[in-house]
Amino acid sequence: MKMAAKTIDGKQLAADLRAEIAAGVAALKAEKGVTPGLAVILVGENPASVSYVTAKEKACAEAGMYSREIRMAADTPEEKLLETIAALNADPAIHGILVQLPLPKGYDEKKVIDAIAPEKDVDGFTPINVGRMLIGEQCFLPCTPHGIIKLIEFSGMDIRGKHAVVIGRSNIVGKPVAVLLSRKETNATVTMCHTGTKDIAAFTRTADIVVVAAGRPDTLRGDMLKPGAVVIDVGVNRIPDATRPKGFRLVGDADFASCAEVASAITPVPGGVGPMTITMLLWNTLESARRV
Ligand code: NAP
């Protein structure tokens, strides 16, 4: 029997949460005189990075937060970048520091991220934060994985006791999503699939939840799903399309049409996971300012 999946509206959930965050910001200002501040460092002029940084600044302003954008030329010495991070670590007006990735060639990305003080690492990318997440200590949860958990909950699915399959094992999406889903609070049983998995469909067909983060269109199709599954499509892929003004369109990693016939709920691309990432960044920045 064909099902018509509900679309999980990431824009709506993001708007709801941003309203909650804006109220939290206003309350913190009124009660403690603290305005949450986010510093965003952009090195070079990668167009995608420029647009992400602009979107982050706009979102900060809308939430009533203070944002400071620091732009640096692509040939800025690494030492200078590290000095800038050290100054922000010590700046009481700044509660969150984000270095927009990827950095241009020649930088040691790991060293740069490690320079961010863990208590201001609102992206949740430093090894200290990742380790704390793994052992269940207080930390900043990484934004995209945290947003994914919120989206599954928003779909109406009670995650506890369910079988979740995560396709992809990157440090920024797949691995942390698997960790978050298997924590006591969510209590899912998790299977991780990757390019070494022999028969992904054999796993996804038994899954109540499928999170696909492979960076490849059509990684997940409807015939790979159990009826009623919830699908979170993290992928963002550009497909050439001469009918579009920009000459391309965005698709996810799931074939939306066939998955929507079998799933009970699915995130669209765009408009699913994307809007949640910046929202959870604001969430962490507010959280950081509250800890002061
Ligand atoms: P990544 O670092 O390239 O990792 C992709 C993972 O998927 C790898 O673990 C890889 O396996 C696995 N994989 C690739 N092709 C596969 C296949 N055919 N079958 C099974 N596994 C496969 O990518 P990422 O950074 O995690 O990002 C994944 C996607 O999410 C990208 O499209 C990215 O643009 C998108 N994304 C979106 C957001 C957002 O806010 N919406 C945020 C982050 C990422 P191996 O480890 O075996 O190579």
Side-chain angles (χ1 to χ4, degrees):
M1 188 188 73
K2 286 189 177 179
M3 296 178 75
K6 177 174 81 176
T7 298
I8 307 170
D9 188 347
K11 282 190 201 160
Q12 182 60 54
L13 177 57
D16 294 351
L17 288 174
R18 286 186 199 195
E20 217 178 280
I21 292 166
V25 171
L28 191 65
K29 280 183 192 171
E31 287 159 22
K32 286 195 183 171
V34 173
T35 301
L38 176 70
V40 180
I41 303 177
L42 175 62
V43 186
E45 285 169 3
N46 175 323
S49 296
V50 172
S51 74
Y52 286 140
V53 166
T54 309
K56 285 168 187 170
E57 289 210 303
K58 186 167 167 272
C60 272
E62 283 168 5
M65 292 185 181
Y66 165 64
S67 73
R68 191 184 299 167
E69 185 188 317
I70 297 155
R71 289 201 182 207
M72 296 178 146
D75 60 357
T76 305
E78 189 171 282
E79 218 34 57
K80 171 84 182 137
L81 176 55
L82 295 173
E83 276 168 23
T84 305
I85 294 172
L88 293 168
N89 283 342
D91 187 335
I94 298 298
H95 305 95
I97 303 169
L98 182 150
V99 177
Q100 186 63 47
L101 300 178
L103 287 169
K105 279 203 179 80
Y107 290 91
D108 182 344
E109 228 165 54
K110 189 182 164 321
K111 191 171 171 192
V112 171
I113 296 301
D114 278 359
I116 300 171
E119 61 276 13
K120 295 193 180 184
D121 170 31
V122 286
D123 246 346
F125 280 175
T126 60
I128 300 252
N129 257 313
V130 175
R132 284 181 181 158
M133 174 183 68
L134 200 60
I135 61 176
E137 281 186 2
Q138 178 177 279
C139 64
F140 293 116
L141 299 182
C143 301
T144 301
H146 192 188
I148 290 167
I149 302 296
K150 293 271 178 205
L151 283 164
I152 300 169
E153 289 169 348
F154 186 59
S155 77
M157 162 81 69
D158 181 358
I159 300 173
R160 290 169 299 174
K162 299 297 192 306
H163 178 209
V165 167
V166 180
I167 307 176
R169 58 177 161 190
S170 72
N171 289 335
I172 63 163
V173 188
K175 276 185 209 161
V177 166
V179 169
L180 293 183
L181 282 167
S182 56
R183 293 194 311 174
K184 263 267 186 323
E185 296 94 306
T186 33
N187 246 355
T189 303
V190 180
T191 304
M192 286 182 81
C193 297
H194 41 72
T195 54
T197 306
K198 288 212 167 59
D199 182 2
I200 291 180
F203 295 101
T204 54
R205 283 193 193 114
T206 68
D208 306 295
I209 299 162
V210 181
V211 178
V212 57
R216 203 192 68 146
D218 289 335
T219 302
L220 187 70
R221 298 177 315 274
D223 63 359
M224 297 167 69
L225 289 173
K226 173 168 125 178
V230 168
V231 174
I232 306 293
D233 187 354
V234 192
V236 181
N237 306 291
R238 284 184 177 192
I239 300 290
D241 185 343
T243 67
R244 302 290 173 102
K246 288 185 178 166
F248 66 85
R249 67 192 151 88
L250 295 181
V251 299
D253 288 348
D255 171 40
F256 188 89
S258 65
C259 287
E261 284 183 2
V262 186
S264 62
I266 180 168
T267 55
V269 177
V273 175
M276 291 300 292
T277 298
I278 295 183
T279 304
M280 302 326 289
L281 177 72
L282 300 179
W283 175 294
N284 282 348
T285 305
L286 172 59
E287 190 56 43
S288 175
R290 279 183 174 144
R291 288 180 196 165
V292 172

